[in-house]
Amino acid sequence: MEDFEIFQRMGLAIAIGAAVGVERHWREKDEDDGSRTAGIRTFTLIGMLGGATGLIEHSITPPGGFSGIIIIGFLITLTFVFTLFQLREAIAEQNYSVTSVVAAMLTFAFAVVAVLGDMTVASAGGVTLVAVLAGRDFLHAAMRKLRWTELRSAVILLALTFVILPIVPSEPIGPFGGISPSRILTMVIALAAISFCGYAAVRILGSATGEIVGGAVGGLISSTATTVSNARRSLTEDLARPLAAGAISAGGVSMLRTMFLVAMLARPLTMLLLPVLVGGAATMLGYAYLIARRSAAEHPELSVKNPFDLVEVVKMALLLVGVGFLVRVASQFFGDGGLLIASALSGLADVDAATVTVTGMLSTLSPQTASLAIGLAVLSNTVAKAVYASALGTVRFGVHVWIASLLAIAVAGMCWMLVQLGEL
């Protein structure tokens, strides 16, 4: 380790301690000097101690590895001394928090990592530590507002994602490409995550704005899934207009996402599709904003009751996966010669698949044919979502989605004609 690197690593160790010390000192800034166990000076020194410990360990350890004895010894000593002083302060103030003790141990640990390990990991850990400490009031307020249904839903979502999904087979089962069990579960997780994000947005921002934000997030994942999810919710919750705004905004974001994919994968198609997709997206987002504003004026206190119903989520996932399977079956019968028909069928469930497929065939297709195939996928997807909205949701929900979809199709069609005529 060269001298410059030593100073750089020690500087990071001290900076980590100082950053934590600023937060701890600010938390007790009104206290008299000497009345707090640790402030900016103490935590800065803890960071320096961690860095010095790392240097000692590095200097006395032979090449090939670290024994860790020096680090463990200093950490135990620091923890014992710091806990002793923190205990005296806690007795005097009747305070039962152990946060400062753990913060001191982590500051020491990250300082050691800064000297002996990856500086990026050490700095990221230090910033995260400060963020958690500084977010105490927000986290405590969030916990006071947390409901059992929200906690249960979060646990289910985490279990599906990190416990069950890794052990579910990913190989497709059945003919025509089959159906992958992991794809079904992934769709379940996506639907549940969309519902949970929408629920959280409504709790934080209110029913009108929250549904638009939740829908926009859902549009980045799957606008079709968001529409189906919101349609089902509209049957049990008095949120037809806000839920429709969320589904419509998801459709608008989906068009923008398709435009982004085209720009990344097939730049020659950008100028042909940019006015069409942006025009359609702007129409849907504008309509969503208008009905959301009206909803906020009429129903200022609306809120959802449950982040997601797992049984309904599974049903919706099976529906979407089943539609995708039927589309693949139909596409195989049409063959490569029916690219436009296949793209339109693919759009019934997923626009991304058609977009990626068509852009990958650009070397054998004219830009007009390729852009038309993607446009048909977007068109069929927009119509399919309106059909899903009518079939699975309330009448009011379906009407709003249909109006927004037809307006977007009309605007996109006009833009397409102008592009073909060379006016745009």
Side-chain angles (χ1 to χ4, degrees):
M1 194 182 300
E2 299 179 356
D3 290 344
F4 177 77
E5 184 180 359
I6 292 175
F7 282 109
Q8 188 180 24
R9 289 179 175 273
M10 275 296 296
L12 177 58
I14 296 171
I16 292 172
V20 177
V22 167
E23 192 283 332
R24 293 285 85 190
H25 199 114
W26 180 86
R27 184 73 57 186
E28 300 180 358
K29 59 181 181 297
D30 296 329
E31 300 291 334
D32 296 331
D33 292 340
S35 61
R36 68 180 71 85
T37 298
I40 184 171
R41 291 185 303 168
T42 302
F43 274 94
T44 302
L45 291 174
I46 291 174
M48 186 180 295
L49 176 64
T53 302
L55 288 178
I56 295 172
E57 181 75 37
H58 180 269
S59 63
I60 67 173
T61 302
F66 297 103
S67 65
I69 297 176
I70 301 297
I71 298 174
I72 294 174
F74 272 96
L75 179 59
I76 292 175
T77 304
L78 169 67
T79 303
F80 175 78
V81 173
F82 196 92
T83 302
L84 180 62
F85 278 88
Q86 188 68 34
L87 178 63
R88 293 178 59 191
E89 180 181 337
I91 294 173
E93 298 181 357
Q94 293 296 301
N95 181 8
Y96 300 97
S97 174
V98 75
T99 301
S100 291
V101 176
V102 178
M105 295 169 64
L106 285 171
T107 301
F108 178 87
F110 287 132
V112 172
V113 173
V115 172
L116 295 180
D118 192 321
M119 295 177 65
T120 301
V121 173
S123 58
V127 171
T128 304
L129 173 59
V130 174
V132 171
L133 293 173
R136 185 191 72 170
D137 295 336
F138 171 79
L139 294 174
H140 286 186
M143 289 303 298
R144 283 192 292 268
K145 295 180 180 179
L146 184 66
R147 301 172 183 172
W148 165 242
T149 56
E150 299 163 358
L151 179 61
R152 180 194 62 192
S153 299
V155 171
I156 291 174
L157 186 57
L158 291 172
L160 290 173
T161 305
F162 298 106
V163 178
I164 300 178
L165 183 60
I167 63 176
V168 172
S170 59
E171 293 297 324
I173 300 174
F176 301 103
I179 296 178
S180 169
S182 65
R183 176 169 174 77
I184 296 176
L185 183 56
T186 300
M187 184 60 69
V188 170
I189 294 171
L191 286 165
I194 289 168
S195 297
F196 197 90
C197 288
Y199 176 92
V202 169
R203 283 289 307 274
I204 296 171
L205 302 173
S207 59
T209 305
E211 289 297 349
I212 288 185
V213 173
V217 173
L220 294 174
I221 303 172
S222 172
S223 61
T224 305
T226 303
T227 303
V228 173
S229 176
N230 284 14
R232 298 293 299 182
R233 286 175 56 195
S234 71
L235 296 174
T236 58
E237 301 170 12
D238 187 18
L239 288 164
R241 191 175 281 124
L243 287 170
I248 295 167
S249 65
V253 171
S254 175
M255 291 184 181
L256 296 178
R257 185 186 64 187
T258 301
M259 187 65 252
F260 177 79
L261 283 175
V262 170
M264 292 295 101
L265 301 176
R267 295 200 175 190
L269 304 181
T270 303
M271 296 311 299
L272 293 174
L273 290 173
L274 179 63
V276 177
L277 294 176
V278 171
T283 302
M284 299 195 80
L285 293 174
Y287 189 88
Y289 175 73
L290 289 177
I291 64 173
R293 284 190 61 186
R294 185 177 177 185
S295 173
E298 294 181 357
H299 304 286
E301 301 299 331
L302 287 175
S303 62
V304 294
K305 300 179 180 65
N306 192 9
F308 60 83
D309 185 333
L310 188 59
V311 174
E312 294 300 327
V313 165
V314 172
K315 290 180 180 178
M316 289 186 284
L318 292 175
L319 170 66
L320 295 179
V321 173
V323 170
F325 176 74
L326 294 177
V327 166
R328 286 201 306 275
V329 173
S331 298
Q332 287 195 20
F333 280 109
F334 285 116
D336 295 336
L339 175 64
L340 298 180
I341 299 177
S343 296
L345 288 172
S346 178
L348 295 176
D350 184 23
V351 177
D352 291 348
T355 303
V356 173
T357 300
V358 172
T359 54
M361 300 171 60
L362 196 59
S363 60
T364 60
L365 297 174
S366 67
Q368 287 73 21
T369 302
S371 59
L372 180 58
I374 296 174
L376 285 174
V378 175
L379 173 62
S380 67
N381 185 255
T382 303
V383 174
K385 287 182 290 191
V387 172
Y388 298 151
S390 299
L392 302 175
T394 62
V395 174
R396 290 179 63 197
F397 179 88
V399 166
H400 281 298
V401 175
W402 268 110
I403 293 174
S405 299
L406 292 176
L407 288 174
I409 291 171
V411 172
M414 291 176 58
C415 293
W416 174 266
M417 293 176 61
L418 291 174
V419 168
Q420 298 305 310
L421 294 173
E423 298 295 331
L424 289 179

